[in-house]
């Protein structure tokens, strides 16, 4: 299958029901992409991910480049084959992790010189290098290298990073046009809108990227500490400039109660470590708000994590048992918590899609947010 | 179902094909019991254990007593319900872990005074206390408290521990006769033969226990460093004294290539942490010997762990991927390695049972041992 995107229905709010086609299958959008950093969604087998209905997951280029190395994965036929995952994969550019995990040595127009957080070795990540790595990985969607800056940053610095991001996006695009290949010839490349906390810079960045003509666009550098309404405002500023017929991906979001808002900003794809990382920390998402499973209040609680949840964990195990597993630091605790949280996120996405299809998104949105917020009190 | 045991066929070697009936289902013997120390077989869901065909697993009384506590598990309906495991469970007495993990304060005829390895709190484990705990846990098979000593130990010390073990076994038996109850009224109590490295003391211990009339008998304190032929000799010394119509459990064994030997000594049940603990350390058992998955030789090896294995892991994942998961310290590495190793052990047990049924145990035994030993070289 070739890469493609189709908007099936648009809600008055701007939310879109869509269908993304990739060389490794179709993805119903709006979609949530679980994070599979090191070629695994921590704690879950690929079989379980399939059972949960995951249609696309995210791999981290920075981690895979450092270990086991993109060349090794390339020689073994690409990431899909390496990890035995037949469905779609999106890889990030490596940029975000370089800026957040590695020791930066120097950022220049050329690229980013950094030291590995694993062994201190020195590496240069350029736009071209990021493309070379992602081509070897053979993801279905690759991302351009962008410059990620701290938040808040002043207008001057933000604009400079945005200009550099556009220049790097052009180099990425030109590299893949000139170097078809890798382990997935059908790989698509998405541009990334930057522009920090400034709506006009967001619009400017979006317009520049659209001129470069990518098959899809991401919005990066948001949900990094700014208030949620501002995130939505800046997202909408970007999506308003993006072509309606191309998919839009908001990177690194979000909380369950915020997801619908992003969808209403016209976002089709999201990824976030929250369901998986929080699971390992004992924080479980439920239809009634969050459950901190280590709390003594659950010591003898024979109810499932979420009485309204249909996942395999809630069908079989009690809060008392999950609390015990967490306190005893048992692997199964991480496994079951992750399973539940991911099911919860995917279930919300399914309900959002259904609500858009039936023209009931506004109602679903209010109901969900009221329920989740009541549960927090 | 009431507790019962039936020998279906006896091999000329002494190996027995049998059927153990418990309140939580039937167990085909010879059986291998995976170790589920803290109410979980580390890394596997109960669903996976069911799929693997596990009919009985072992819970550790010492760990469960300390965390989450037998009283809590008792209030929640027992261990089966707590961990959502509908099939059979055997619990040990707690004695072995007290002697190996805790700080012993004092051993007397009364019991063992020890400090918890978790928080240093002081506890007294007596035969009666062990019964009280195991009744609250509600396992299908409980074990008497025995005195475990170092190996090698001299004859005098060994005999004294054996005498004390018999005295404690009587107290355990009398306690459960006088205190029916707990969360599993059908619970059976097994005696434990001790006697260290002395065949005559093993025989003496076995005879004393048989007089106490237990529904099943274990052989304890073996495979603790002595040569394998001696383990077999001492096991046979014990089983020769045990009634043919009662099940026999050799505690804490063994290596794949040794299992058949124990079966030929007339053993019906075994348990061991090897498949699960080794899995977490990257040591995989295969039909061709052991695979140390972290070895660089597997870095680009696209074969399954064991080309002759039918487990879900060998059907889907390569050695290269499992090596990557292990080196990246990923949860999924422990999960998949454990799945494979446990399947390997259970597969051997199935083949042993089939070989006994068809009168081909001698042939299977030579073939298996030759193959595994060749693989080590």
């Amino acid at each position: 299958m070739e890469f493609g995107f189709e908007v099936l229905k648009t809600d008055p709010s701007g939310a879109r029901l869509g269908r993304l086609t990739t060389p490794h299958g179709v993805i119903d959008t709006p979609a949530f992409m679980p994070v599979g950093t090191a070629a695994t969604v921590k704690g879950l087998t690929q079989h379980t991910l399939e059972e949960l209905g995951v249609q696309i997951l995210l791999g981290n280029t920075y981690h895979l480049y450092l270990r086991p190395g993109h060349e090794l994965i390339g020689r073994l036929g690409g990431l899909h084959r390496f990890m035995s995952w037949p469905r779609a994969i999106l890889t990030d550019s490596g940029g975000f992790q370089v800026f957040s995990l590695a020791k930066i040595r120097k950022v220049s127009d050329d690229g980013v010189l950094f030291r590995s957080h694993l062994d201190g070795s020195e590496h240069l990540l350029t736009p071209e290098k990021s493309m070379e790595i992602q081509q070897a990985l053979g993801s279905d969607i690759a991302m351009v290298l962008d410059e990620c800056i701290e938040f808040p940053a002043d207008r001057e610095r933000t604009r400079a990073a945005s200009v550099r991001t556009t220049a790097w996006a052009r180099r990425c695009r030109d590299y893949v046009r000139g170097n078809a290949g890798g382990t997935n010839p059908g790989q698509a490349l998405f541009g990334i809108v930057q522009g920090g906390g400034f709506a006009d810079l967001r619009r400017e960045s979006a317009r520049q990227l659209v001129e470069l003509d990518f098959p899809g666009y991401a919005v990066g550098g948001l949900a990094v500490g700014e208030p949620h309404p501002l995130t939505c405002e800046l997202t909408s500023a970007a999506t308003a400039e993006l072509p309606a017929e191309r998919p839009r991906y908001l990177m690194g979001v979000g909380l369950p109660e915020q997801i619908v808002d992003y969808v209403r900003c016209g976002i089709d794809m999201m990824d976030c470590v929250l369901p998986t990382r929080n699971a390992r920390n004992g924080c479980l998402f439920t239809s009634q708000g969050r459950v901190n499973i280590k709390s003594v209040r659950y010591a003898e609680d024979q109810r499932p994590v979420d009485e309204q949840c249909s996942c395999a964990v809630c069908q079989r195990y009690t809060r008392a048992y999950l609390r015990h597993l967490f306190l005893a630091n048992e692997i199964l605790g991480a496994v079951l918590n992750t399973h539940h949280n991911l099911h919860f996120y995917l279930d919300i996405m399914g309900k959002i899609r259904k609500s858009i299809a039936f023209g009931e998104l506004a109602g679903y949105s209010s109901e969900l947010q009221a329920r989740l917020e009541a549960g927090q009190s």
Side-chain angles (χ1 to χ4, degrees), chain A residues 173-222:
Chain A
R173 186 202 62 173
D174 293 349
Y175 180 91
V176 299
R177 284 190 181 170
N179 297 273
T183 54
N184 185 354
Q187 185 179 62
L189 177 65
F190 280 23
I192 303 178
V193 176
Q194 288 291 353
F198 305 94
D200 61 326
L201 295 185
R202 288 274 165 193
R203 280 189 288 269
E204 186 179 278
S205 172
R207 283 192 297 264
Q208 291 171 357
L209 288 162
V210 170
E211 269 179 42
L212 294 175
D213 190 24
F214 289 99
Y217 298 89
V219 182
L222 285 178

Side-chain angles (χ1 to χ4, degrees), chain A residues 40-46 48-49 52 276 334-336 338-339 342:
Chain A
T40 163
V41 175
K42 293 186 192 306
L44 298 186
T45 65
Q46 277 65 313
T48 299
L49 292 169
L52 284 169
T276 44
V335 167
L336 298 179
T338 304
H339 185 120
L342 216 46

Side-chain angles (χ1 to χ4, degrees), chain A residues 313-330:
Chain A
V313 178
C314 288
Q315 297 315 300
R316 181 155 196 168
Y317 303 101
T318 64
R319 297 178 183 189
Y321 183 58
L322 293 178
R323 174 176 190 265
H324 163 67
L325 293 176
F326 184 82
L327 293 182
N329 200 24
E330 283 288 346

Side-chain angles (χ1 to χ4, degrees), chain A residues 30-43:
Chain A
F32 179 81
M33 305 183 284
V35 177
T37 298
T40 163
V41 175
K42 293 186 192 306

Side-chain angles (χ1 to χ4, degrees), chain A residues 1 15 32 34-35 42 53 64 67 90 94 166 186 191 232 254 285 317 359:
Chain A
M1 283 178 284
F32 179 81
V35 177
K42 293 186 192 306
L64 295 168
R67 183 172 60 192
L90 179 148
T166 300
C232 294
F285 294 105
Y317 303 101

